[in-house]
């Protein structure tokens, strides 16, 4: 996703903008640019490629002197990655410039209207429309011009805006794309995400939809769309910058794989009190929990995969029917809600457009919503009726690992708590499950010790073209995540398949030496899985099995077995996913790819 930054204060702006953009690189981009007011005019430099090119072009910002500016990393949506399409964009006399994260959905109509009024466009972007529209409405009052533009545009945006006539001010506004404001000692900031400004301030303001911010060197003013001033509280960011640095690891992804024991413990332990589960932020009485008639779990990507696992856990333990939906499908399929429904939306970033839209769809129908979110203060966290945070800390690598693992923990805790309140499990089962949960951080730590063996195995598959992940029940859900981890960072085609379904067509793709990763953690499905392994092996597949320790019978069927420590079958995903993450990581590394920033992908998909 695009990243925006802005600064106004007593320091030279350009180096601060470049530094802020470097902290947003993880969002994925293909060009970058900055614009700075130099005392007379707004100077701009932009370039395709990585930020390094822009840093060289601007000599680290030295060629752009000035104390106020905006910057942008662009993840191309409308118009290919070129210098001209890179942000910022100017109006015709270069007196207004804008950076934008999001999509203006009615930009073509607006562009035609502006062209009809004599405006000329130089780029293919939707963003340039904003620059000319601001020009069209501007008559000396920036706030008024911005509000008029907001009434005309449709879509999502986080904007940073500079007006040459008001060099002591920067303006910002958002709708559906993330935007924060930072208040520092040496000036004030705007950014798409906290890492961009954490070096300068911990005091941030999370901006609501269509709130406009006016920043000066030493003041912040917030306005609603009626141009009325509004008061806002700041939030103190507690995590430190090192959490958002690589700390000696070659890639963030490996660092975050290794942070999983801590992330799981940080999400789990604060909610285990006096031998029970305490989820204060849930906001539901026991009566309301007993009355829940149905649960929807709605998410995208890996977060969706945790929902597929959670379905088995909620239904198995709490006996509550669960429907798991891809957010991009849920929001358009006009779901039929029964009374006493709970919609749980799961999102690491809390800004995924489809998941946010699904949340709003549920709320518009009067359905109770709960967010399971990692980024504090994100849109989903603030708009859900209640939010249960995962405490994974900042996750920078595009491929999620620790956030995924903490989402599972949050779902387990909810399912066990609901099961207890609804008297579906007895005290002994409850205690046994809490005991198993508490062991997970150490068991994950143990599995991380198997890294070298998996790296060696991964190096045998760098040239492979197709990999299949198969499993039954919860193992099928694990297969989905294993498959996504591999393909999104190694670009190798892979599929997750319900093992029992292979013979209904897909098994025709299995040939000599096709790698099949078989998940075999569910005791009650062992036998079935062993026969599915046999099915693919007789057709030439090489089978890597991921099985629970003690199930040595699988060695008779599989070519290579990774064993997991014993745990409650409902929690197996938390362990089985570790070798799959490591496998995907080392295939990508072995192929010499940018593991943290895979091609075409962004960390937070804030557009549809
Ligand atoms: C998974 O590795 C990907 N990064 C992607 O599937 C991600 O899980 C999905 O885009 C959802 O993101 P969210 O959790 O921030 O909503």
């Amino acid at each position: 996703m695009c990243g925006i930054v802005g600064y106004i204060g007593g320091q030279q702006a350009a180096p601060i903008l470049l530094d802020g953009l470097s902290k947003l690189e993880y969002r994925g981009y293909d060009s970058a640019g900055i614009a700075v007011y130099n005392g007379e005019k707004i100077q701009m430099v932009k370039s395709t490629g990585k930020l390094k090119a822009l840093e060289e072009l601007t000599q680290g910002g030295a060629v752009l002197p000035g104390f106020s500016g905006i910057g942008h990393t662009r993840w191309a949506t409308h118009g290919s990655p070129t210098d001209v399409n890179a942000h910022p964009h100017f109006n015709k006399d270069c007196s207004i410039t804008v950076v934008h994260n999001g999509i203006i959905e009615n930009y073509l109509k607006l562009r035609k209207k502006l062209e009809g009024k004599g405006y000329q466009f130089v780029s293919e972007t939707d963003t340039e429309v904003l620059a000319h529209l601001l020009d069209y409405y501007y008559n000396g009052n920036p706030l008024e011009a911005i509000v008029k533009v907001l009434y005309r545009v449709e879509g999502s945006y986080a904007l940073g805006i500079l007006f040459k006539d008001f060099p002591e001010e920067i303006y910002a506004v958002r709708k559906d794309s993330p935007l924060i404001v930072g208040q520092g000692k040496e000036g004030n900031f705007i950014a798409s995400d906290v890492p961009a400004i954490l070096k300068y301030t911990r005091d941030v303001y999370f901006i609501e939809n269509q709130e406009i911010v006016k920043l000066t060197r030493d003041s912040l003013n917030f306005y609603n769309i009626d141009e009325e001033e509004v008061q806002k509280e700041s939030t103190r960011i507690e995590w430190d910058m090192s959490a958002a640095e690589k700390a000696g690891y070659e890639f963030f992804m490996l660092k975050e794989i290794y942070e999983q024991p801590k992330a799981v413990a940080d999400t789990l332990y604060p909610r285990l009190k006096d031998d029970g589960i305490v989820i204060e932020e849930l906001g539901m009485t026991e009566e309301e929990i007993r009355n829940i008639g149905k649960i929807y779990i709605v998410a995208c990507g890996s977060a969706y995969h945790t929902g597929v696992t959670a379905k088995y856990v909620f239904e198995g333990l709490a006996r509550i029917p669960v429907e798991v939906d891809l957010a991009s499908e849920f929001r358009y399929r006009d779901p039929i809600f029964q009374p006493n429904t709970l919609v749980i939306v799961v999102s690491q970033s809390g800004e995924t457009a489809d998941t946010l839209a699904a949340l709003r769809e549920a709320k518009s129908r009067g359905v109770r919503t709960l967010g399971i979110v990692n980024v504090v203060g994100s849109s989903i966290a603030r708009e859900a009726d209640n939010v249960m945070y995962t405490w994974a800390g900042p996750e920078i690598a595009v491929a999620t690992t620790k956030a995924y693992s903490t989402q599972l923990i949050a779902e387990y805790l909810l399912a066990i708590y609901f099961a207890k309140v609804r008297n579906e499990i007895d005290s002994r089962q409850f205690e046994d499950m809490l005991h198993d949960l508490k062991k997970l951080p150490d068991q994950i730590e143990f599995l991380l010790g198997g890294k070298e063996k998996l790296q060696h195995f991964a190096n045998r598959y760098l040239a492979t073209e197709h990999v299949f992940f198969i499993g039954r029940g919860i193992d099928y859900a694990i297969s989905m995540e294993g498959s996504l981890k591999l393909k999104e960072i190694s670009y190798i085609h892979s599929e997750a398949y319900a093992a029992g379904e292979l013979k209904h067509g897909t098994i025709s793709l299995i040939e000599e030496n096709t790698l099949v990763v078989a998940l075999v953690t569910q005791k009650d499905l062992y036998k079935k899985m062993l026969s599915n392994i046999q099915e693919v092996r007789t057709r030439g597949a090489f089978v890597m099995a991921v099985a629970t320790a003690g199930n040595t019978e699988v060695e008779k069927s599989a070519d290579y077995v990774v064993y997991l420590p014993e745990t409650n079958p409902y929690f197996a995903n938390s362990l089985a996913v570790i070798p799959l993450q490591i496998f995907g990581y080392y295939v990508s590394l072995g192929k010499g790819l940018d593991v943290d920033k895979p091609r075409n992908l962004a960390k937070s998909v804030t557009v549809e």
Side-chain angles (χ1 to χ4, degrees), residues 155-225:
S156 58
Y157 48 80
L159 305 180
I161 309 167
L162 269 184
F163 292 83
K164 194 177 77 157
D165 297 350
F166 294 83
E168 303 302 317
E169 297 167 6
I170 288 181
Y171 287 83
V173 62
R174 72 164 290 241
K175 176 175 168 289
D176 297 343
S177 291
L179 179 71
I180 59 168
V181 170
Q183 187 166 37
K185 293 187 177 61
E186 289 290 314
N188 292 319
F189 305 78
I190 60 170
S192 297
D193 198 359
V194 169
I197 60 171
L198 196 58
K199 181 174 167 184
Y200 308 100
T201 180
R202 292 180 174 278
D203 297 319
V204 305
Y205 293 84
F206 295 103
I207 307 306
E208 301 295 340
N209 272 352
Q210 297 194 318
E211 269 181 356
I212 302 146
V213 197
K214 179 176 79 174
L215 298 85
T216 69
R217 171 181 184 148
D218 41 29
S219 70
L220 298 173
N221 297 89
F222 305 95
Y223 304 91
N224 61 24
I225 197 160

Side-chain angles (χ1 to χ4, degrees), residues 4-5 16 19-21 23-24 191 193-200:
I4 67 172
V5 292
I16 292 173
D19 175 68
L21 291 178
K23 301 294 190 301
L24 298 179
D193 198 359
V194 169
I197 60 171
L198 196 58
K199 181 174 167 184
Y200 308 100

Side-chain angles (χ1 to χ4, degrees), residues 436 439-440 443 523 526 548-551 564-569 575:
D436 281 338
K439 284 168 44 184
L440 287 176
Q443 291 177 322
K523 278 194 183 61
Y526 272 168
T548 305
N551 171 25
L564 309 172
E566 285 271 3
T567 186
N568 184 304
L575 300 180

Side-chain angles (χ1 to χ4, degrees), residues 300-303 347-349 352 398-400 484-485 488:
C300 300
S302 294
S347 176
Q348 186 286 129
S349 62
T352 299
V398 165
T400 184
L484 179 60
K485 281 286 100 37
E488 68 176 328

Side-chain angles (χ1 to χ4, degrees), residues 81-226:
T82 62
D83 291 5
V84 171
N85 287 336
H87 303 201
H89 286 283
F90 268 134
N91 66 332
K92 58 181 182 299
D93 67 357
C94 300
S95 60
I96 300 172
T97 187
V98 63
V99 289
H100 167 221
N101 173 25
I103 288 186
I104 302 303
E105 294 178 356
N106 62 336
Y107 84 99
L108 280 176
K109 190 176 80 175
L110 293 170
R111 177 169 174 147
K112 283 194 176 61
K113 202 168 183 60
L114 288 162
E115 284 172 333
K117 293 175 183 302
Y119 283 88
Q120 290 176 343
F121 286 76
V122 296
S123 79
E124 307 159 274
T125 66
D126 54 337
T127 305
E128 192 185 352
V129 168
L130 295 168
H132 295 309
L133 207 53
L134 284 163
D135 179 278
Y136 178 69
Y137 286 121
Y138 177 66
N139 61 6
N141 180 332
L143 183 60
E144 190 184 276
I146 291 167
V147 165
K148 286 179 177 173
V149 166
L150 300 190
Y151 276 110
R152 293 305 308 275
V153 298
E154 294 162 18
S156 58
Y157 48 80
L159 305 180
I161 309 167
L162 269 184
F163 292 83
K164 194 177 77 157
D165 297 350
F166 294 83
E168 303 302 317
E169 297 167 6
I170 288 181
Y171 287 83
V173 62
R174 72 164 290 241
K175 176 175 168 289
D176 297 343
S177 291
L179 179 71
I180 59 168
V181 170
Q183 187 166 37
K185 293 187 177 61
E186 289 290 314
N188 292 319
F189 305 78
I190 60 170
S192 297
D193 198 359
V194 169
I197 60 171
L198 196 58
K199 181 174 167 184
Y200 308 100
T201 180
R202 292 180 174 278
D203 297 319
V204 305
Y205 293 84
F206 295 103
I207 307 306
E208 301 295 340
N209 272 352
Q210 297 194 318
E211 269 181 356
I212 302 146
V213 197
K214 179 176 79 174
L215 298 85
T216 69
R217 171 181 184 148
D218 41 29
S219 70
L220 298 173
N221 297 89
F222 305 95
Y223 304 91
N224 61 24
I225 197 160
D226 300 323

